[in-house]
Amino acid sequence: MNYQWYPGHMTKARRMMEENIKLIDLVIEVVDARIPMSSRNPDIDNLAKNKARLILLNKSDLSDERLNQQWIDYFAQKGVLCLKLNSRSGAGIKQMNSAIERACHEKIERDKKKGIMNRPVRAMVVGIPNVGKSTFINAYAGRACAKTGNKPGVTKGKQWIKLSKTVELLDTPGILWPKFDSEIVGRNLALIGSMNDEVINIEDLAFEAVTFLKNNYSGNLSERYGVDEDEETLEIMDAIAAKRGCLKRGAMTDYEKLAGIILDDFRSGRIGRITLEKPGEEI
Ligand SMILES: Nc1nc2c(ncn2[C@@H]2O[C@H](COP(=O)(O)OP(=O)(O)OP(=O)(O)O)[C@@H](O)[C@H]2O)c(=O)[nH]1
């Protein structure tokens, strides 16, 4: 991902979202299951006010199963239906239609009372960059992706994908920005690889990743690299470097190369399934 958000972009994104949302019954918010808070837009609760809501913990194949459930419970307590998903493999997609019906239960019931029986639920996918919005739309729409085209009352040019008798999905996702003003959010986005590595000190980031693993996922580092986790972070990193041949002249650790290896492993789940945020923590 290589997004640069400027005030102009944000205003435009917000305007598009505000325009599209008028047509929408259900806002499907895709977040990264490893950082369910940091990968949300700070304004989403306002933007999606008075709409049916569904939060998808995407990339749940990479996140901690125990924390997936805690997050699902956390959002449920706030009255928002939340499901975990792996858009890449399609795991969790089957449950979507019934989840959508559950999320839109009130709207469907209201329609029924008015004698409207078959008006589809109109849904839109939103989320910050790189959370997997397009992958989800493709996986969900699948081959049965029938575009319903421009209908009366629908802004010209918008395409609706008919997903079932009850659901139509806007084909383009709404892209929103993350909460920039929080250092924790920036760090968490960087750790999962949703920031441009060129603007980050990757050596510091790898240090953070190792410290986090050492403190929260005991056993993962030793299993992946065969290192002693009781050592200090820097010693652990040097030990990984020695094992992985990340050495410069004079047997000095090549921290840049090492950071690349550690971050790559961290982001792809090779050091285990990891969730960086727990419900209730401040970001
Ligand atoms: N492991 C895993 N990877 C996923 C999953 N969903 C998406 N990805 C990967 O995440 C990356 C980003 O996915 P996209 O679908 O392009 O994300 P997006 O939100 O549409 O991104 P933007 O277009 O930048 O807004 C891709 O490399 C996907 O293959 C998932 O459930 N699990």
Side-chain angles (χ1 to χ4, degrees):
M1 189 196 73
N2 206 344
Y3 274 88
Q4 300 284 356
W5 287 98
Y6 301 108
H9 281 129
M10 288 165 63
T11 313
K12 191 169 168 231
R14 195 188 168 99
R15 211 182 302 127
M16 269 182 66
M17 171 91 185
E18 279 168 353
E19 193 196 301
N20 285 333
I21 214 163
K22 288 183 208 147
L23 314 167
I24 297 297
D25 304 301
L26 170 72
V27 176
I28 302 177
E29 184 189 352
V30 181
V31 303
D32 190 306
R34 292 165 295 174
I35 51 168
M37 274 293 145
S38 295
S39 59
R40 300 187 78 199
N41 170 269
D43 286 349
I44 188 71
D45 290 328
N46 257 331
L47 285 164
K49 206 159 62 191
N50 305 325
K51 300 287 172 184
R53 308 267 303 267
L54 181 59
I55 294 181
L56 300 179
L57 299 177
N58 194 36
K59 308 197 188 184
S60 62
D61 50 312
L62 300 174
S63 62
D64 181 335
E65 196 58 69
R66 198 174 43 90
L67 277 157
N68 286 343
Q69 192 54 49
Q70 288 186 22
W71 279 107
I72 289 170
D73 297 343
Y74 168 84
F75 287 117
Q77 273 167 19
K78 298 202 168 286
V80 183
L81 185 61
C82 171
L83 295 182
K84 64 174 180 169
L85 198 69
N86 172 357
S87 297
R88 235 187 214 168
S89 73
I93 296 274
K94 257 199 191 148
Q95 292 79 13
M96 288 298 302
N97 285 327
S98 59
I100 287 179
E101 279 182 27
R102 259 184 293 152
C104 294
H105 178 73
E106 275 178 37
K107 182 218 174 257
I108 293 168
E109 286 303 305
R110 236 182 4 251
D111 278 358
K112 261 191 207 157
K113 278 198 193 120
K114 290 190 217 152
I116 306 167
M117 299 306 282
N118 288 318
R119 185 197 282 164
V121 167
R122 289 214 167 126
M124 177 186 180
V125 170
V126 303
I128 69 163
N130 207 44
V131 287
K133 298 178 294 301
S134 303
T135 311
F136 165 67
I137 292 176
N138 290 337
Y140 185 31
R143 277 135 247 99
C145 157
K147 293 200 170 148
T148 59
N150 301 329
K151 289 188 172 177
V154 175
T155 311
K156 222 173 155 198
K158 283 196 191 357
Q159 296 286 322
W160 296 88
I161 305 168
K162 196 164 174 50
L163 293 171
S164 68
K165 254 194 353 231
T166 39
V167 188
E168 285 184 2
L169 183 72
L170 196 60
D171 71 343
T172 30
I175 303 175
L176 296 170
W177 57 93
K179 189 169 187 252
F180 301 113
D181 51 1
S182 154
E183 245 178 66
I184 297 172
V185 170
R187 187 206 62 168
N188 287 349
L189 288 168
L191 280 169
I192 63 156
S194 280
M195 289 258 264
N196 188 350
D197 270 351
E198 276 148 37
V199 300
I200 299 162
N201 181 331
I202 67 159
E203 292 160 33
D204 288 350
L205 199 61
F207 186 93
E208 298 241 15
V210 172
T211 307
F212 175 81
L213 287 164
K214 177 176 145 60
N215 293 337
N216 295 279
Y217 286 93
S218 157
N220 288 24
L221 282 165
S222 59
E223 194 178 322
R224 175 73 190 161
Y225 301 113
V227 293
D228 178 2
E229 291 181 16
D230 294 331
E231 301 275 357
E232 295 298 320
T233 299
L234 208 51
E235 266 105 59
I236 296 175
M237 289 178 78
D238 287 336
I240 299 171
K243 289 191 184 261
R244 292 295 158 119
C246 299
L247 299 174
K248 292 197 283 202
R249 225 180 301 134
M252 299 282 285
T253 296
D254 182 343
Y255 285 110
E256 200 182 336
K257 186 173 171 199
L258 176 68
I261 290 175
I262 292 172
L263 291 174
D264 219 33
D265 285 350
F266 186 84
R267 291 165 178 171
S268 60
R270 286 192 291 267
I271 321 183
R273 292 171 62 178
I274 288 150
T275 299
L276 291 161
E277 298 173 350
K278 295 189 180 73
E281 281 173 355
E282 289 287 319
I283 56 164

